[in-house]
Amino acid sequence: MARVSLAARRQRALEILDILEATYPQARCELRFASVFQLLTATILSAQCTDVGVNKVTPKLFDRYPGPYELAAASHGDVETIIHSTGFYRAKADSIIRMSQMLVSQFGGKVPRTLDELVKLPGVGRKTANVVLSEAFGVPGITTDTHVMRLSRRLGWSKHKDPEKVEAELGRLFPEDTWITLCHVVIWHGRRRCHARRPACGACPAADLCPSFGEGETDPEKAAALVTQPPPVS
């Protein structure tokens, strides 16, 4: 089988991106937050938890601890109780409290604006840092969350399972000025149609370009029944 050139892969990838943009024109981050600090905290809590699950606990958390100074002085036990349902609550409570303490002691209570500084914070890796940079500061970045990882393999954009390798490969396929939109629409597509266990292939607008078509339900009516609509972000 002839090897597909990078140019051909890039063209098909951009065609799929165009389709997903048209399908999800309202795509955006679905975490609820009122400040950069709250975005950072919510993103840390989203590890191994859905945004819907995080959004259930953050109103109480942020009402009690709205900023880094308040959370830096919080009781571990109280924070653990509030975020318990997000999973790994002890580790997450420790991370967000220590993250807040570091913001206070080293950054004057402000969330830093560079990836190198962000990844020094407890609980923050490249994925979380890219979310904060793109959502809060408009800095292009590729967020390799579970949906981006899964769909990158299904759509033939990357065969890698290592997040940094996937990030680098997507960076070669897509222009930098599309990265933020790319992550939003791919995540929305993964949540609504291209599910992990049973993708709605027959209701996918990019089906004709997808090399994995047929992994899920192909009958249009049955596939349409699989399409989900997560609760809207207020």
Side-chain angles (χ1 to χ4, degrees), residues 9-29:
R9 290 178 60 225
R10 184 176 288 144
Q11 180 177 346
R12 187 177 70 173
L14 289 173
E15 289 176 7
I16 293 174
L17 176 58
D18 285 343
I19 292 170
L20 295 182
E21 282 190 73
T23 305
Y24 308 108
Q26 312 253 323
R28 65 198 184 286
C29 177

Side-chain angles (χ1 to χ4, degrees), residues 20-104:
L20 295 182
E21 282 190 73
T23 305
Y24 308 108
Q26 312 253 323
R28 65 198 184 286
C29 177
E30 295 184 278
L31 291 170
R32 296 187 183 126
F33 57 92
S35 67
V36 182
F37 168 76
Q38 291 184 4
L39 169 63
L40 173 58
T41 303
T43 306
I44 293 173
L45 295 178
S46 71
Q48 304 298 314
C49 182
T50 65
D51 286 0
V52 172
V54 173
N55 289 339
K56 290 179 179 178
V57 306
T58 48
K60 183 175 182 178
L61 179 70
F62 296 149
D63 181 65
R64 191 167 299 182
Y65 309 109
Y69 289 92
E70 294 85 359
L71 191 54
S75 156
H76 277 71
D78 187 47
V79 175
E80 288 174 7
T81 299
I82 295 172
I83 68 169
H84 187 278
S85 62
T86 67
F88 304 99
Y89 60 94
R90 289 193 179 91
K92 289 180 180 180
D94 183 66
S95 290
I96 63 176
I97 290 174
R98 290 193 299 115
M99 174 272 290
S100 300
Q101 292 169 343
M102 189 169 179
L103 288 182
V104 170

Side-chain angles (χ1 to χ4, degrees), residues 146-222:
T146 181
H147 301 289
V148 173
M149 294 290 290
R150 182 177 73 253
L151 269 64
S152 291
R153 290 192 293 273
R154 281 188 178 162
L155 293 169
W157 295 345
S158 177
K159 295 181 179 178
H160 295 296
K161 295 184 178 180
D162 177 81
E164 289 194 27
K165 290 181 178 178
V166 174
E167 181 183 343
E169 195 150 16
L170 295 187
R172 289 191 291 270
L173 280 178
F174 295 93
E176 187 175 296
D177 62 2
T178 70
W179 290 354
I180 296 176
T181 298
L182 168 71
C183 294
H184 284 159
V185 297
V186 168
I187 290 170
W188 274 46
H189 190 54
R191 288 175 177 163
R192 288 156 174 78
R193 284 180 171 83
C194 198
H195 309 300
R197 295 186 179 178
R198 198 180 177 195
C201 292
C204 176
D208 290 344
L209 295 171
C210 181
S212 300
F213 178 78
E215 283 191 12
E217 180 58 63
T218 58
D219 178 85
E221 289 188 12
K222 293 179 180 179

